[in-house]
Amino acid sequence: MANSLASMTGYARANGGVSGIGFSVEIKSVNARGLDIRMRMTPGYDALEPEIRRRVTKALSRGSVTVNLNIEREGEGGRVVVNQQALDAVLVAIKQIGDLTNSPRPTPDGILGLKGVLEQHDAPLDPDAEEQLQGAIYEAVDRALVELQAARQAEGRHLGDILGGQVSEISRLRDLAEAHPGRGRDVILARLKEQIADLLASSTGLSEDRLMQEALLLATKADIREELDRLKAHIASARQLLADGGPAGRKLDFLSQEFNREANTLCSKSNAVDLTAIGLDLKAVIDQFREQVQNLE
């Protein structure tokens, strides 16, 4: 069974806890060229980062992913200590301000209330409790990743419908170009005769070899058979990638560039205004297709 297409955009949250400790895991992702993982951890739990990063890498292949881990301990759970370095800096600033303004000296409770002067140090967990907490956090990360993948796949199915419709429109315009009267043999020959007559009129002494070269060049420029065939092949490839699902974003982005290249060549070779209009419509749909592809994993 084929994997679903997935968007790179999604959000998930999972909560958990063990005795006396609660935590939440939030994972959100947005578009990116590759997989970029950013971690925001409660201080003191950085040791969990490598394992969480490994689990994210296993679950996702593309996207800018931010993982927030917030851990709260119930009750006091430790001790309060004075950050001496922060306190010294505050006292120096208070003295400088007092010397300049003759303002009253702040009270001790006001000083201690400043951010960073007092720190809460959690009491260390015993090994069994620490192992239990880590296991619960990893399990919550896995649950959040499953939820995130489901959200990204739901969005991916919506994107797949949009992209499928755009590929169908590309196919329709390609078929219009193929059926255009300007591609008929008689029309091309008539246009070629006009261009050769212009060459003869504008140049004296044009050799027969040079005339043949110019005629061959004009005939080649008038033929868009190769562009139509390549467009047909790219359309088949795009439909297959959309049907297969999985992380197809990079391959579809490459195909969108190939689509655009053929549409540009078709426009440059066009020998009729309405055929050029078809080519321009084709380019517009291809631009929309490429824009949507950027959202796919």
Side-chain angles (χ1 to χ4, degrees):
M1 181 178 178
N3 296 320
S4 299
L5 291 171
S7 166
M8 284 188 281
T9 303
Y11 171 85
R13 176 187 176 97
N15 298 317
V18 296
S19 180
I21 302 177
F23 62 83
S24 65
V25 176
E26 289 183 324
I27 307 179
K28 59 183 178 180
S29 66
V30 295
N31 297 358
R33 292 184 64 84
L35 180 62
D36 177 25
I37 305 171
R38 302 179 184 183
M39 312 284 289
R40 295 176 182 171
M41 318 278 286
T42 294
Y45 292 89
D46 294 342
L48 305 183
E49 180 175 334
E51 177 60 19
I52 294 175
R53 188 178 291 273
R54 185 191 70 80
R55 292 171 184 244
V56 173
T57 301
K58 184 178 179 181
L60 307 174
S61 62
R62 287 183 73 191
S64 177
V65 182
T66 301
V67 180
N68 292 320
L69 173 61
N70 183 44
I71 300 175
E72 295 184 358
R73 299 183 67 165
E74 299 173 6
E76 294 185 2
R79 58 194 177 89
V80 176
V81 298
V82 175
N83 184 325
Q84 192 62 51
Q85 185 177 359
L87 178 60
D88 291 344
V90 169
L91 292 176
V92 169
I94 288 173
K95 184 177 184 306
Q96 291 175 342
I97 294 172
D99 292 342
L100 292 173
T101 64
N102 294 320
S103 58
R105 188 177 182 82
T107 60
D109 59 334
I111 295 174
L112 294 175
L114 294 172
K115 185 177 180 180
V117 175
L118 288 183
E119 295 180 345
Q120 174 79 34
H121 285 201
D122 292 332
L125 298 174
D126 63 68
D128 288 343
E130 184 173 355
E131 183 178 352
Q132 186 181 7
L133 175 61
Q134 289 183 4
I137 290 172
Y138 295 148
E139 190 271 337
V141 169
D142 289 341
R143 282 191 284 116
L145 284 170
V146 169
E147 183 181 334
L148 179 68
Q149 287 174 309
R152 286 168 47 132
Q153 287 173 357
E155 177 65 17
R157 286 191 290 272
H158 176 64
L159 287 173
D161 291 340
I162 294 173
L163 291 168
Q166 290 168 339
V167 171
S168 293
E169 179 63 7
I170 291 171
S171 178
R172 186 186 72 83
L173 290 168
R174 180 256 173 214
D175 291 345
L176 276 180
E178 184 173 43
H180 190 274
R183 293 195 60 246
R185 182 176 180 275
D186 293 341
V187 175
I188 292 176
L189 285 176
R191 179 61 177 160
L192 186 58
K193 288 178 181 178
E194 291 179 9
Q195 291 172 323
I196 291 174
D198 291 340
L199 283 173
L200 292 172
S202 61
S203 176
T204 57
L206 192 64
S207 69
E208 184 175 345
D209 286 343
R210 177 62 187 280
L211 182 60
M212 290 297 295
Q213 290 174 2
E214 293 293 336
L216 181 61
L217 179 62
L218 292 172
T220 301
K221 285 192 64 177
D223 186 9
I224 59 171
R225 179 73 265 162
E226 289 186 10
E227 288 70 32
L228 293 173
D229 288 345
R230 283 193 290 264
L231 278 172
K232 186 175 183 179
H234 297 333
I235 289 165
S237 296
R239 284 175 168 159
Q240 188 62 56
L241 285 169
L242 291 173
D244 290 345
R250 285 194 179 95
K251 292 180 180 178
L252 286 168
D253 184 47
F254 173 76
L255 271 182
S256 70
Q257 297 175 50
E258 295 300 303
F259 276 139
N260 194 56
R261 182 177 292 111
E262 303 306 333
N264 282 335
T265 308
L266 187 150
C267 287
S268 68
K269 286 186 173 183
S270 170
N271 58 6
V273 173
D274 45 355
L275 182 57
T276 301
I278 293 172
L280 293 175
D281 287 343
L282 193 58
K283 283 173 58 64
V285 179
I286 292 167
D287 285 343
Q288 294 168 5
F289 177 82
R290 188 175 187 184
E291 183 178 348
Q292 293 294 340
V293 163
Q294 306 308 310
N295 299 312
L296 279 182
E297 183 178 6

